[in-house]
Amino acid sequence: MMQVWTIARQMIAEGIRMKIALVFFVLIAAIVFGLPFSVTGDSSLTGAVQSFMSYSLMATGLLLGVLTIFMCRSLSDEFVHHQMFLVVTKPVARWQIILGKWLGMSLFNATFLLFSGASMYGMVHYIKWTHPPQDEVYDEQELNNEVLVARHTRSRDMSIPNFPALAEAEYQRDLEQGKYEQQPNFNPRQQRRSLEKKYEARWRVIGPYETREFFFKNILCDRSPDKEIQIRYKADVAGYEKDEIYRAIWRVGDKEKGAEAYELHVRHVIDRFHTMRVPANAVADDHTLKVTVVNVNPFEGEQQKGNVLNIRKSDGIQVLFIVGSFEWNLIRLLSMMMFKLMFLGAVGLMMATVFSYPVACLTSFTVYMLAGTRSFLEEALDFMTDRNGSMFSSASEFAIQSIAYLYNMVQWVIPSFSRYDAVEDFVNGRNVSLVWVLSALGELVIIKTVVILGLAIFFFYRREVAEVSV
Amino acid sequence: MAGTKLPVVQTAGLCKTFKDFWRRPRVDAVKDLSMEIHAGEVFGLLGPNGSGKTTTIKMLLGLLYPTHGRISLFGKPPTDVSVKARIGFLPEESYLYRFLSARETLDFFGRLFRLPKKIREDRTTRLLDMVGLSHEADRPVGEFSKGMARRIGLAQALINDPEFLILDEPTSGLDPIGARQIKDVIRSLGQKGKTILLSSHVLSDVEDVCDNVAILYGGQEQAVGSIDDLLCQQNVTQITMPTISDKTIREVKDLILRLEKTNADVTHPRHKLEDFFLQIVSQAQATEVKTSGARAGGEVPEFLKTATTTVMVDLVGSLVAAGTTPEPLVVSAMPKISKKKSDSTSGVLNELLGKEPVEDDAPDEPSASLNSDAPVAPTKPTIAADSQVIDSLLQGENKESDDTASSEPNA
């Protein structure tokens, strides 16, 4: 272990003495301490804090990604400038050299992440104290309840009707009635999908004077009346302009299940997120919650057009409750970012054992980009590939399917960084759960980093440290 | 270590072929090299540029993998980590971390050997003193001159008190003080019983310190044997003595001409330029002329010294002593001396020295003349010489000898 630690120390010393640390320290400091003065969000306190946190975390992540790739030059430089001659001829196993380099790089990154996180935390409070108030009490409450917290939420907690089953039933009925017999180019798959969409739209859209009930399960919060749960949503309203206000009644709770029910009369700006807070005893004993939306204007004397509410799929209704502090949420977020950097460090080192610095840097950056955009690429390839078509039907199909096969081959090694991107959740005050962190640790570090480091060690053992010189 | 039966280094049929991008053999850097280096030997690896010296060393260190053949160091493969703990290596260039200071460099390598802190610190201090860089211990190595960096390179090679020291072109880039110092260190370590492999094309370095040498050319071993066996000119006799009068010189020459039918050259030997240079520098140091460069090194640290022999590498002292010794006179006679004639030769010597002839009971030994066509009796180490290669390699050395000996061609 002493040798591993010695190599790691040497790597850190190199980062400091070669002024790499200074450059990145200045860059991160410039971002974290400069952003609050240039980014204001939607001019509200919450908006300013959220924008600042979002930009600074993304910029820090990107900078440290670049730093990590840059640091892999330490290994390739030692091959080029032959310091490796002296190191490998000492009683140090090659795996210890790789592990030491990786440890040094990780410690370097961890220091920067801590600096960045601590600075960001300080600046959040600075913004809180110095932001010009609009409605001081409301602003601070909103910030404390919706941003500087760790709130639990899971989209799958909402009970959604079985749309494919409903669609299938209607399709079978129509088929028996012979509705599709006369249709030219009839495609059963498309028809089923179309029916499915219809049922989903009917469920999401609430017409004038209509009532819709949404059911949630697994709301495992403390149900004391002094605690609260939050209902967060964003809605489209047909026939209204953006920033107009619509009015409706929201009922939260199910008296039939013995829970308290609370009625809220709301005036909400269209196409914005809104959070409603109700006491936690609205949740039933079986940890379910009923939320009823009544599309009726409860405010007498206030005019309202006949509106159609659309609860969107992507930003639908969420039930949230506070499960932890902002500080621990920040630590868990930084851990997730750290795991990505640890994986990236292993990739950089592996590339440096095989390639010279510029090539190692380029290939590591490619892996970084692939990992960052994997979800997007998967969707794009899935969209472009004709699943039913032959690979050899056309040149473009051949190219696309070849890329898809190639991509499928490497994707088991390259993780999807977006799956572990917790910045948005953190900025919105949602809990970065320990389970999520542990799954990131498992996939990114324990499995994939170990595999990549194993490959790096394998290549290093196979590699001749000296080069041709005759 | 002395007493170990296994050779420290053993290679058998060692080959290294460098291949091109398409894996096609391009250059045979080392071909079928089999050699052994035993404990306590100071072994020189000689050869012109590109002869395979460095490639051989890199294979011994596990920096290159052999294409064919076998290597063992202390009976184990060179990639074995436990073997590396017993080795010190000074590469042909000082491949040091530019951002570390001299002290940090030695500490870093000491840590890699898992030396306890106290020993590390002690050895670092002593080695810095030995290489004359104590006053620059905290400067980054990147700011050092090439020679100063070489000195740190030497110090790092000795940090673990190695049993087997591999020195690749150790005096390259060093000033004469450093070069002499390295040679003194090698001698000192050799006396302690350490095994040393020295690769160089500076022949005088090898001649000064090595017991045995192997000469490589074209990746193949051309000759191997002890320095004495390889370099002894059996056909030339040299007599050295303090200065004598011109009259005696004339009489000696006459006597040699009369008895041996050959002319003798009588000259005063010259100092080596290295010795002269060191004398001048030591005088400058005595007057405390300031320098930011390396200073004269200190003693070889105690941990590198043998328990029975204390070798002081006090250059100044040794040089001053050299400067005060009366210059010896050298008498050289060139013709090949046969056994029969050697009786009369010893008679001449006895006459010169005013002594009675001493009966020589020693058995006759075959001549080890490199140019002789006669078969050479096997001795240990054996002499397997390609005379042309050796002649070309030793041309400079022979030339110097010829200048002082005789203008007659070798027999």
Side-chain angles (χ1 to χ4, degrees):
Chain A
M1 194 59 200
M2 183 177 177
Q3 280 105 330
V4 174
W5 178 235
T6 302
I7 302 281
R9 268 171 48 122
Q10 184 272 341
M11 182 106 181
I12 294 167
E14 181 179 2
I16 295 168
R17 303 273 173 86
M18 302 297 274
K19 308 215 170 32
I20 299 167
L22 181 69
V23 169
F24 279 86
F25 177 82
V26 169
L27 283 173
I28 289 174
I31 288 166
V32 175
F33 296 115
L35 270 176
F37 302 101
S38 56
V39 175
T40 54
D42 61 0
S43 78
S44 69
L45 175 60
T46 303
V49 169
Q50 284 182 319
S51 300
F52 161 69
M53 290 200 301
S54 183
Y55 285 124
S56 62
L57 284 168
M58 282 195 290
T60 303
L62 188 70
L63 267 179
L64 292 184
V66 172
L67 170 68
T68 306
I69 292 169
F70 185 70
M71 289 281 283
C72 76
R73 62 168 273 290
S74 167
L75 186 64
S76 41
D77 263 13
E78 286 187 29
F79 287 121
V80 172
H81 298 125
H82 300 150
Q83 286 97 342
M84 196 53 79
F85 283 15
L86 293 179
V87 177
V88 296
T89 52
K90 303 290 182 280
V92 190
R94 294 194 182 189
W95 66 265
Q96 289 175 313
I97 297 171
I98 293 288
L99 207 60
K101 292 275 177 198
W102 179 76
L103 183 66
M105 205 185 284
S106 299
L107 288 172
F108 209 67
N109 278 328
T111 309
F112 274 110
L113 262 183
L114 278 176
F115 165 71
S116 171
S119 308
M120 196 194 74
Y121 182 77
M123 289 310 285
V124 163
H125 285 88
Y126 171 79
I127 296 168
K128 199 171 148 185
W129 293 324
T130 57
H131 192 268
Q134 291 173 332
D135 179 344
E136 203 167 329
V137 176
Y138 175 77
D139 275 1
E140 199 160 333
Q141 262 188 4
E142 189 185 29
L143 185 69
N144 289 338
N145 287 309
E146 296 176 24
V147 180
L148 304 184
V149 283
R151 298 175 298 171
H152 171 84
T153 181
R154 284 195 306 188
S155 56
R156 66 172 181 270
D157 289 345
M158 183 190 256
S159 298
I160 296 172
N162 189 347
F163 301 123
L166 292 169
E168 185 63 25
E170 184 171 336
Y171 175 76
Q172 292 300 337
R173 275 199 307 274
D174 291 347
L175 205 62
E176 282 171 17
Q177 291 166 11
K179 273 190 180 177
Y180 306 127
E181 284 170 6
Q182 303 302 318
Q183 287 185 19
N185 302 325
F186 175 72
N187 185 332
R189 190 163 166 263
Q190 276 184 355
Q191 183 61 26
R192 283 191 178 94
R193 183 73 195 128
S194 163
L195 289 170
E196 205 176 310
K197 279 185 178 171
K198 184 184 82 177
Y199 275 102
E200 188 172 345
R202 274 187 193 168
W203 182 73
R204 292 191 182 282
V205 172
I206 309 165
Y209 305 104
E210 272 188 7
T211 297
R212 180 82 70 248
E213 290 175 340
F214 298 96
F215 295 95
F216 295 85
K217 58 190 176 187
N218 301 323
I219 311 295
L220 301 169
C221 63
D222 180 353
R223 290 184 294 114
S224 314
D226 57 326
K227 302 287 179 189
E228 64 178 33
I229 58 169
Q230 300 175 2
I231 314 293
R232 185 174 188 265
Y233 82 107
K234 184 157 91 170
D236 280 337
V237 181
Y240 277 65
E241 294 297 319
K242 211 172 180 181
D243 295 337
E244 276 191 288
I245 290 172
Y246 89 97
R247 298 155 188 87
I249 299 169
W250 286 66
R251 293 196 188 104
V252 182
D254 189 355
K255 285 205 165 176
E256 287 177 12
K257 287 193 172 182
E260 285 297 321
Y262 298 92
E263 186 167 293
L264 307 164
H265 296 180
V266 301
R267 291 185 195 88
H268 280 164
V269 179
I270 292 159
D271 209 27
R272 289 257 187 100
F273 276 110
H274 295 281
T275 303
M276 295 168 283
R277 291 197 290 276
V278 292
N281 57 3
V283 178
D285 289 343
D286 61 357
H287 302 290
T288 59
L289 180 73
K290 186 167 88 173
V291 176
T292 310
V293 182
V294 184
N295 192 2
V296 167
N297 177 8
F299 299 100
E300 286 182 18
E302 291 184 23
Q303 277 199 330
Q304 171 139 304
K305 290 187 271 185
N307 52 29
V308 178
L309 268 175
N310 178 18
I311 307 295
R312 287 192 293 206
K313 189 178 182 181
S314 55
D315 305 314
I317 304 169
Q318 292 172 337
V319 176
L320 305 105
F321 53 93
I322 294 170
V323 289
S325 67
F326 172 71
E327 288 77 10
W328 280 109
N329 219 26
L330 176 62
I331 289 168
R332 287 193 290 269
L333 169 83
L334 295 177
S335 305
M336 300 262 278
M337 292 172 76
M338 185 67 211
F339 298 152
K340 289 182 198 172
L341 295 172
M342 287 162 97
F343 169 79
L344 199 59
V347 170
L349 284 176
M350 187 195 74
M351 296 300 180
T353 56
V354 183
F355 303 115
S356 60
Y357 172 61
V359 184
C361 184
L362 196 67
T363 45
S364 304
F365 195 73
T366 306
V367 171
Y368 184 40
M369 295 304 290
L370 280 174
T373 58
R374 205 180 108 172
S375 304
F376 168 76
L377 284 174
E378 274 169 8
E379 277 179 28
L381 283 170
D382 195 46
F383 176 76
M384 290 173 75
T385 310
D386 179 5
R387 296 277 179 208
N388 300 318
S390 163
M391 188 176 179
F392 304 101
S393 59
S394 67
S396 62
E397 193 59 34
F398 179 80
I400 290 165
Q401 289 208 22
S402 300
I403 293 168
Y405 281 127
L406 194 69
Y407 188 75
N408 287 335
M409 278 166 65
V410 295
Q411 74 171 8
W412 73 270
V413 175
I414 301 174
S416 172
F417 277 1
S418 56
R419 193 185 301 162
Y420 302 109
D421 186 1
V423 172
E424 193 188 336
D425 289 74
F426 172 77
V427 166
N428 287 313
R430 288 196 289 259
N431 185 38
V432 180
S433 73
L434 194 60
V435 174
W436 197 9
V437 175
L438 290 175
S439 70
L441 175 71
E443 187 190 344
L444 294 176
V445 183
I446 295 174
I447 298 173
K448 296 199 168 169
T449 298
V450 168
V451 168
I452 299 286
L453 282 178
L455 283 173
I457 290 165
F458 172 75
F459 291 136
F460 193 19
Y461 270 96
R462 297 271 303 165
R463 178 177 181 156
E464 290 184 321
V465 173
E467 69 291 330
V468 180
S469 56
V470 180
Chain B
M1 288 292 286
T4 307
K5 286 178 183 173
L6 273 173
V8 174
V9 176
Q10 194 169 27
T11 71
L14 195 62
C15 295
K16 182 65 190 176
T17 305
F18 289 122
K19 295 176 180 171
D20 65 10
F21 181 80
W22 305 107
R23 311 294 296 165
R24 291 175 303 195
R26 204 176 67 186
V27 180
D28 289 325
V30 175
K31 281 186 273 188
D32 196 26
L33 180 65
S34 299
M35 65 174 191
E36 287 187 358
I37 302 174
H38 294 268
E41 268 184 51
V42 179
F43 193 92
L45 209 50
L46 275 173
N49 292 334
S51 59
K53 302 186 299 291
T54 300
T55 303
T56 304
I57 284 181
K58 284 173 179 172
M59 284 193 283
L60 292 179
L61 288 161
L63 298 172
L64 288 175
Y65 302 139
T67 311
H68 298 293
R70 196 174 56 80
I71 305 174
S72 80
L73 267 74
F74 298 102
K76 292 178 179 173
T79 46
D80 192 305
V81 173
S82 65
V83 165
K84 293 175 182 175
R86 302 163 75 177
I87 295 176
F89 170 50
L90 173 66
E92 57 196 320
E93 298 277 338
S94 301
Y95 304 127
L96 303 169
Y97 293 104
R98 294 175 56 81
F99 52 87
L100 294 181
S101 70
R103 191 186 303 281
E104 287 167 337
T105 298
L106 297 187
D107 188 68
F108 170 69
F109 289 114
R111 281 172 174 275
L112 293 183
F113 282 104
R114 305 184 72 173
L115 298 177
K117 191 179 179 202
K118 202 173 173 186
I119 293 177
R120 245 176 20 239
E121 285 174 355
D122 181 57
R123 287 189 183 178
T124 298
T125 307
R126 285 165 187 272
L127 285 168
L128 283 171
D129 188 46
M130 184 194 87
V131 297
L133 287 171
S134 298
H135 62 301
E136 299 290 353
D138 298 313
R139 250 178 72 191
V141 172
E143 295 175 9
F144 281 8
S145 70
K146 188 181 177 187
M148 289 161 81
R150 292 294 286 161
R151 286 160 181 261
I152 295 298
L154 175 67
Q156 67 78 28
L158 297 172
I159 191 83
N160 60 322
D161 186 16
E163 290 172 46
F164 178 38
L165 188 61
I166 299 178
L167 306 170
D168 193 2
E169 309 285 359
T171 54
S172 148
L174 285 177
D175 59 27
I177 303 171
R180 168 65 79 90
Q181 194 173 24
I182 284 202
K183 286 191 273 186
D184 287 334
V185 169
I186 295 168
R187 280 193 206 102
S188 168
L189 294 171
Q191 282 168 2
K192 191 184 173 184
K194 308 255 180 190
T195 314
I196 297 166
L197 172 61
L198 172 72
S199 154
S200 181
H201 45 224
V202 182
L203 304 180
S204 59
D205 288 352
V206 177
E207 189 181 349
D208 284 351
V209 297
C210 289
D211 306 323
N212 298 311
V213 294
I215 298 172
L216 301 183
Y217 186 82
Q220 286 179 307
E221 185 184 277
Q222 305 292 337
V224 63
S226 76
I227 287 278
D228 291 340
D229 288 343
L230 291 174
L231 300 187
C232 179
Q233 296 182 43
Q234 295 290 350
N235 54 351
V236 179
T237 303
Q238 179 174 292
I239 303 163
T240 308
M241 66 190 70
T243 307
I244 52 175
S245 68
D246 290 345
K247 181 172 171 282
T248 312
I249 291 171
R250 277 196 301 277
E251 284 178 11
V252 167
K253 288 173 90 171
D254 289 345
L255 185 66
I256 290 171
L257 185 63
R258 182 159 41 88
L259 294 177
E260 298 292 327
K261 309 283 187 284
T262 184
N263 288 317
D265 271 351
V266 179
T267 58
H268 290 290
R270 290 165 58 173
H271 277 306
K272 282 183 169 178
L273 182 59
E274 181 188 16
D275 293 337
F276 180 71
F277 174 86
L278 291 171
Q279 190 176 1
I280 298 298
V281 172
S282 66
Q283 283 167 2
Q285 282 167 345
T287 57
E288 296 183 349
V289 175
K290 282 189 178 177
T291 176
S292 62
R295 293 177 185 167
E299 291 181 21
V300 173
E302 204 62 41
F303 72 92
L304 293 173
K305 283 184 188 172
T306 172
T308 52
T309 316
T310 47
V311 182
M312 290 290 288
V313 191
D314 186 348
L315 296 175
V316 178
S318 62
L319 287 166
V320 169
T324 55
T325 307
E327 286 185 356
L329 188 72
V330 175
V331 181
S332 301
M334 278 305 295
K336 186 176 176 181
I337 301 165
S338 65
K339 175 65 185 163
K340 191 181 169 187
K341 286 184 178 175
S342 72
D343 291 340
S344 58
T345 310
S346 55
V348 175
L349 288 174
N350 288 333
E351 192 177 328
L352 282 168
L353 298 168
K355 287 182 181 176
E356 291 295 319
V358 180
E359 203 169 300
D360 187 5
D361 291 329
D364 292 355
E365 282 190 12
S367 166
S369 168
L370 298 176
N371 291 341
S372 170
D373 290 330
V376 177
T379 53
K380 192 181 177 185
T382 54
I383 302 167
D386 179 320
S387 59
Q388 282 183 337
V389 173
I390 295 168
D391 285 345
S392 69
L393 284 166
L394 300 180
Q395 200 172 16
E397 302 288 299
N398 282 344
K399 194 167 181 284
E400 192 182 318
S401 301
D402 292 348
D403 290 343
T404 55
S406 167
S407 58
E408 284 187 34
N410 287 351

